[in-house]
Amino acid sequence: MITLGIDIGTSGVKVALVDHAAAGAETVLASASSGLTVQRPHPRWSEQDPASWWAAVLDCVDAIHASHGVLLASCTAIGLSGQMHGATLMDASGTVLRPCMLWNDGRSSEQCVELESAWPASRRVTGNLAMPGFTAPKLLWVREFEREVFDRVAMVLLPKAYVRWRLCGAMVEEMSDASGTLWLDVGARRWSDEGLAACGLDRGQMPTLVEGSQPTGHLRRELA
């Protein structure tokens, strides 16, 4: 079986075409990478344009197609990994509303205090302290300082989930990444309505949850 692995890193996107032998051995048939840049317009800010992730994925896959087109055509599955916590905010039409606030963005320290005050059960439910790296405090910052953006948010996706949506049209998040948002009830394995409400959000603005091993969609026909 031949699969394609896509990793959405902070400094670059990496793609590998892998042959999985029946005995369990794996052989990397081809690989490609494409660099990314981080924008830091103010102290403690760290942002990326989600369009740059998608452009890098296409560049990498095109490079593998140019050198291993026949093998790429026999690919039966795509696996995704990537940076966690980033807040990719989209409106109802799927338009990205602002640059993604990355995992190492540190502007929302005050919002962490606000979140734990508004939601006293947060540590018990999520299994985490509120820290600026997580997604939820970022949305509180946007609500306070970019209200016109916040009011248009129809969907919040992490970087890997955004690339999945571009690949197959499904807005889906798997549990491990979801646990890094501070909105996941890790025991119940579902979004916490109380946690979302503390940020002025609801489940309708969250992707569908799945386990990490579950299939989540089919590649868009035009990409295939």
Side-chain angles (χ1 to χ4, degrees):
M1 181 175 70
I2 293 177
T3 65
L4 193 70
I6 300 174
D7 176 65
I8 313 300
T10 311
S11 59
V13 167
K14 297 170 283 293
V15 176
L17 189 67
V18 180
D19 184 10
H20 304 263
E26 297 179 348
T27 302
V28 176
L29 303 172
S31 63
S33 62
S34 182
L36 297 170
T37 59
V38 176
Q39 287 74 52
R40 298 181 175 89
H42 302 285
R44 298 192 297 166
W45 290 32
S46 181
E47 300 182 338
Q48 279 178 334
D49 180 0
S52 68
W53 309 328
W54 182 239
V57 168
L58 295 181
D59 286 346
C60 291
V61 176
D62 284 348
I64 291 176
H65 180 268
S67 62
H68 294 74
V70 173
L71 290 172
L72 181 62
S74 63
C75 175
T76 57
I78 298 173
L80 294 171
S81 65
Q83 50 173 299
M84 296 177 70
H85 312 307
T88 308
L89 311 182
M90 302 166 66
D91 69 11
S93 67
T95 300
V96 174
L97 295 171
R98 68 171 326 282
C100 176
M101 300 162 69
L102 300 183
W103 60 272
N104 56 355
D105 189 290
R107 78 187 79 174
S108 60
S109 297
E110 294 181 4
Q111 286 72 33
C112 292
V113 177
E114 177 185 341
L115 176 60
E116 292 199 337
S117 176
W119 185 23
S122 62
R123 297 187 183 187
R124 175 180 57 80
V125 174
T126 69
N128 283 300
L129 307 178
M131 295 183 287
F134 292 121
T135 316
K138 295 176 170 65
L139 269 292
L140 285 175
W141 185 95
V142 174
R143 184 173 70 171
E144 181 173 353
F145 294 104
E146 297 179 354
R147 187 66 194 221
E148 71 286 355
V149 171
F150 184 85
D151 288 343
R152 294 176 60 197
V153 172
M155 181 61 58
V156 181
L157 296 179
L158 302 190
K160 184 175 69 180
Y162 175 78
V163 171
R164 178 189 289 111
W165 173 69
R166 294 296 299 263
L167 287 168
C168 67
M171 292 184 172
V172 176
E173 192 58 82
E174 49 86 20
M175 296 292 177
S176 64
D177 270 10
S179 70
T181 65
L182 288 184
W183 291 316
L184 184 72
D185 183 330
V186 295
R189 307 188 80 73
R190 61 172 180 258
W191 297 118
S192 167
D193 292 319
E194 186 178 6
L196 290 167
C199 297
L201 301 170
D202 59 50
R203 289 196 198 193
Q205 294 160 292
M206 296 293 111
T208 301
L209 287 170
V210 298
E211 299 295 342
S213 59
Q214 287 182 245
T216 55
H218 297 279
L219 187 64
R220 294 177 189 263
R221 184 177 299 276
E222 63 270 25
L223 295 175

